[in-house]
Amino acid sequence: MKRGSHILPVMESFYSIQGEGYHSGKPAFFVRLAGCNVKCTWCDVKESWSIYENQYVKIEEIVEKINKHSTDLVIITGGEPFYHDLGPLTSMLKENNKLVHVETSGTEKYSGEFDWICLSPKRFKKPLEEYYDMANELKVIVYQDSDFRWAERISSKVKKDAIRILQPEWSVEKRINPKILSYIKLNPNWRISLQTHKYLKVD
Ligand code: SF4
């Protein structure tokens, strides 16, 4: 169930490090919103698909919790964050001088104000066209060989200067990592991202 934008369903929120993608290694506060209609078979946060009544939190409370931590970087993730109107939350975060990043499949209508948009498209549900121009980073999860061809098709749609990243799907990373390494050596406009938080066992 979707609600108004001044209260949002938070599955979890925590201070940690960004483990993957272009900003890997930076300390950040994560807000994981519940709700996702994409339903990737290999999703590692299936608990985030459904929204429960007791998850709804006022955006003031979300920001208050973030302000207790020393980072200026806030990463909104999910689920699919744009399942909700993120305008009021991101305005409040900007008023509090935060850098606001989002990780999205691009399948829901865009809202809010972000400093960095990581588009992580999924083959299970196509991104909306508007995301291709906005993406600062294109992060494609590679699960099988045909994902390389698909990554190139998506890559042809995003901005020239967007960072292009291939990331192994965690459950097949041992098998797929060598293929990604060979691929980026031949196609150096791509780089590899590993989920370092999983190697480090960081929540
Ligand atoms: Fe899971 Fe993200 Fe896919 Fe939604 S878009 S099913 S949260 S991996």
Side-chain angles (χ1 to χ4, degrees):
M1 176 186 60
K2 290 190 186 186
R3 280 267 197 99
S5 50
H6 285 77
I7 56 166
L8 293 168
V10 178
M11 186 197 133
E12 57 180 352
S13 64
F14 53 94
Y15 185 35
S16 186
I17 59 148
Q18 171 59 296
E20 59 190 59
Y22 181 71
H23 292 282
S24 177
K26 293 184 181 176
F29 193 93
F30 289 79
V31 179
R32 185 184 301 286
L33 297 176
C36 183
N37 269 340
V38 183
K39 304 198 172 14
C40 308
T41 48
W42 41 255
C43 177
D44 58 0
V45 276
K46 289 194 171 80
E47 324 82 85
S48 70
W49 294 1
S50 303
I51 299 174
Y52 301 99
E53 192 62 29
N54 64 0
Q55 292 176 318
Y56 280 96
V57 180
K58 287 186 188 150
I59 57 172
E60 289 83 357
E61 289 172 44
I62 299 173
V63 176
E64 196 181 307
K65 185 171 175 188
I66 293 168
N67 280 339
K68 289 184 179 149
H69 299 274
S70 47
T71 185
D72 288 334
L73 177 57
V74 178
I75 299 175
I76 315 281
T77 185
E80 171 41 61
F82 289 112
Y83 196 67
H84 311 279
D85 176 4
L86 300 180
L89 174 62
T90 56
S91 298
M92 199 173 281
L93 288 169
K94 296 312 289 177
E95 281 162 21
N96 282 264
N97 301 315
K98 302 298 179 195
L99 282 169
V100 191
H101 293 192
V102 68
E103 304 203 354
T104 178
S105 62
T107 54
E108 301 281 341
K109 190 172 172 293
Y110 178 83
S111 56
E113 185 191 346
F114 291 92
D115 298 287
W116 190 265
I117 297 174
C118 172
L119 174 63
S120 185
K122 306 295 183 316
R123 291 179 79 164
F124 310 93
K125 198 172 178 195
K126 250 180 26 185
L128 302 175
E129 289 290 321
E130 60 182 334
Y131 284 92
Y132 295 126
D133 266 354
M134 290 189 288
N136 303 100
E137 172 182 357
L138 170 66
K139 184 174 70 187
V140 177
I141 309 302
V142 183
Y143 180 75
Q144 56 196 350
D145 291 359
S146 61
D147 289 335
F148 292 107
R149 282 195 303 281
W150 182 71
E152 291 297 349
R153 279 208 297 282
I154 300 283
S155 171
S156 68
K157 297 183 177 202
V158 299
K159 286 181 299 192
K160 214 172 165 194
D161 63 349
I163 307 293
R164 286 156 167 80
I165 290 175
L166 298 174
Q167 180 171 292
E169 196 283 315
W170 180 250
S171 68
V172 295
E173 53 110 27
K174 284 199 174 47
R175 173 174 63 77
I176 217 80
N177 276 346
K179 294 184 181 196
I180 294 180
L181 292 177
S182 302
Y183 192 84
I184 62 175
K185 282 182 186 168
L186 289 171
N187 301 277
N189 56 325
W190 290 95
R191 59 180 79 175
I192 187 170
S193 161
L194 300 174
Q195 292 182 293
T196 51
H197 52 295
K198 293 188 179 174
Y199 291 103
L200 294 171
K201 300 193 179 358
V202 175
D203 287 334

